[in-house]
Amino acid sequence: MAVQDRGGTSFRFYPTDAQAAELSRTFGCVRKVYNMALAARTEAWARQERINYNQTSAMLTEWKKTEELAYLGEVSSVPLQQTLRHLQGALTNFFAKRARYPRFKSKRTSRASAEYTSSAFRLREGKLTLAKMAEPLDIRWSRPLPEGSMPTTVTVSRDGAGRWFVSLLCEDPAVRPLPANSDAVGIDVGLSHLLTLSTGEKIANPRHERRDRVRLAKAQRELSRKAKGSANRAKARVKVARVHARITDRRRDMLHKLTTRLVRENQTLVFEDLTVRNMVKNRTLARAISDAAWSQLRSMLEYKAVWYGREVIAVDRFFPSSRLCSHCGALAERMPLSVRTWTCVCGTTHDRDVNAANNLLAAGLAVSVWGAGVRPQRESSRTGQSAMKQKFLQREP
């Protein structure tokens, strides 16, 4: 199985016992180095000092010389250096206010990984061999790599279900801007329908988690009955992870196909700038919202738009897309979620979701013309409306 994502093309592989042991050791060493470096940088920050990548790299050299951490020298040094670079990037994003402060890695994490650069792997005649290994990995090459390009990095990972993957990052000449067109679409996300387009098309919500809810509940019950620390509990935990992996794989496959179609068909895509992180705090809807994967959908649309030369516009989340009549511009006073169709004072009857998608499209195109940016920021005002919202409401019908 191959998975095309922003991190590269991933393939399943089946390691030998010796390879699995070597990779497991590498994963453990990567986690150890990351946690030690993060602790050192956190302590230095408390002392109002800064430690950079070069200093943590020097620390790693010293750690390997100690009797307690001598085992760090038994694995390839490249994944250890790469995890220090990842930590540097995480802290850079934190100080730039693009991300939260990095967290320590746990043994119980659902995914373990190690990254190898070109100096630590060899790819010849379809056989990939990693550093510290005598034999190539048994990879299921379900699709060819981009012709004429060599991977710059290889990431090996093991998920919570015990499956092994190798992801190869390389330039794909097939990913290039598509011919421009004049088509634009407004996208309203929901739960009864995953997406409603301004064209009137409604895309059903597959509800992947609900389809396997009985199987998942059974696996979780069996896990809860096993003694903590026992081998049977470890086996039961893998069974739960396999159900989750099945749900995740189906969801990702569907989202990839859907977002690729939307990006290929439309030059401009407009959606609402929702804060899903806050919305899932609603206990009644949290499970359904998480299953819909709105954040993942948006992420895919954004990076594929960059790949193919499309434009993605996010409309301010305070814009009243559902309450605004797309025909005359009148604003309804209130619109509870139970109302799916409504009639405006002008006599136009609206489907709630289609009307919202049309309003998002009009507002997004207006934002593009005004040059307000891809993600208009909310500005304080007496009415609590964003500047974009005020301008749109003031336009002539």
Side-chain angles (χ1 to χ4, degrees), residues 67-345:
E67 182 178 354
E68 181 184 1
L69 299 174
Y71 63 87
L72 295 177
E74 298 175 1
V75 302
S76 173
S77 62
V78 173
L80 306 185
Q81 294 291 341
Q82 287 298 99
T83 198
L84 294 179
R85 291 189 176 93
H86 293 162
L87 175 59
Q88 177 66 36
L91 287 169
T92 299
N93 288 333
F94 167 73
F95 289 119
K97 298 182 179 180
R98 293 191 296 266
R100 297 182 178 181
Y101 194 78
R103 296 181 296 179
F104 291 98
K105 295 184 181 294
S106 170
K107 289 183 180 180
R108 295 183 180 275
T109 185
S110 61
R111 195 174 192 89
S113 64
E115 185 176 273
Y116 296 77
T117 59
S118 56
S119 62
F121 69 84
R122 182 176 68 252
L123 180 61
R124 293 178 182 174
E125 298 179 353
K127 295 183 178 181
L128 177 66
T129 306
L130 302 177
K132 300 286 185 177
M133 293 186 185
E135 299 179 358
L137 301 179
D138 182 16
I139 302 175
R140 298 297 186 264
W141 299 103
S142 51
R143 62 181 296 176
L145 292 176
E147 187 176 353
S149 62
M150 285 295 293
T152 55
T153 61
V154 167
T155 302
V156 181
S157 60
R158 182 188 60 213
D159 67 8
R163 302 180 301 175
W164 296 83
F165 294 90
V166 57
S167 178
L168 297 92
L169 182 63
C170 51
E171 292 292 333
D172 189 350
V175 177
R176 57 181 181 272
L178 296 171
N181 61 50
S182 58
D183 295 331
V185 65
I187 303 172
D188 180 66
V189 299
L191 295 177
S192 57
H193 292 90
L194 181 63
L195 298 181
T196 300
L197 308 183
S198 55
T199 59
E201 179 184 358
K202 292 189 175 184
I203 298 168
N205 185 356
R207 303 182 187 275
H208 299 288
E209 187 270 341
R210 179 178 291 183
R211 289 171 57 185
D212 274 343
R213 187 170 294 178
V214 173
R215 180 180 300 180
L216 179 60
K218 180 181 178 182
Q220 289 173 332
R221 282 197 303 271
E222 292 177 353
L223 173 62
S224 67
R225 294 170 184 156
K226 308 302 180 184
K228 292 185 178 180
S230 66
N232 285 336
R233 187 176 179 86
K235 293 178 182 177
R237 184 182 295 113
V238 171
K239 289 183 179 180
V240 173
R242 285 176 179 169
V243 179
H244 280 297
R246 172 187 172 92
I247 296 170
T248 301
D249 288 347
R250 286 205 308 261
R251 182 187 296 123
R252 184 190 300 114
D253 179 69
M254 185 276 296
L255 291 179
H256 269 301
K257 292 175 180 177
L258 174 59
T259 54
T260 297
R261 176 174 76 87
L262 291 175
V263 169
R264 287 184 179 276
E265 292 177 353
N266 301 280
Q267 181 66 33
T268 305
L269 302 99
V270 184
F271 54 85
E272 190 173 2
D273 189 15
L274 298 175
T275 53
V276 179
R277 182 173 61 252
N278 293 333
M279 297 177 69
V280 294
K281 294 178 181 178
N282 183 330
R283 294 186 178 183
T284 304
L285 299 176
R287 194 168 191 171
I289 292 174
S290 298
D291 190 29
W294 293 339
S295 295
Q296 188 176 11
L297 172 71
R298 171 174 176 168
S299 176
M300 288 183 180
L301 283 175
E302 288 179 336
Y303 76 73
K304 290 180 182 182
V306 174
W307 282 358
Y308 298 112
R310 301 312 200 194
E311 182 182 16
V312 172
I313 300 173
V315 173
D316 192 297
R317 61 181 177 274
F318 297 101
F319 176 69
S321 57
S322 298
R323 296 188 296 121
L324 190 67
C325 176
S326 58
H327 179 71
C328 70
L331 185 64
E333 292 185 1
R334 57 189 303 272
M335 187 75 60
L337 287 175
S338 58
V339 177
R340 307 316 303 173
T341 60
W342 61 283
T343 301
C344 178
V345 293

Side-chain angles (χ1 to χ4, degrees), residues 357-397:
N358 283 321
N359 284 326
L360 289 172
L361 175 60
L365 294 179
V367 167
S368 180
V369 171
W370 294 329
V374 174
R375 296 184 182 181
Q377 301 297 316
R378 187 186 186 192
E379 297 181 7
S380 60
S381 65
R382 291 186 177 180
T383 61
Q385 295 177 335
S386 66
M388 185 279 297
K389 175 180 173 181
Q390 292 173 359
K391 290 180 180 178
F392 189 77
L393 291 177
Q394 291 170 3
R395 66 174 173 83
E396 294 182 0

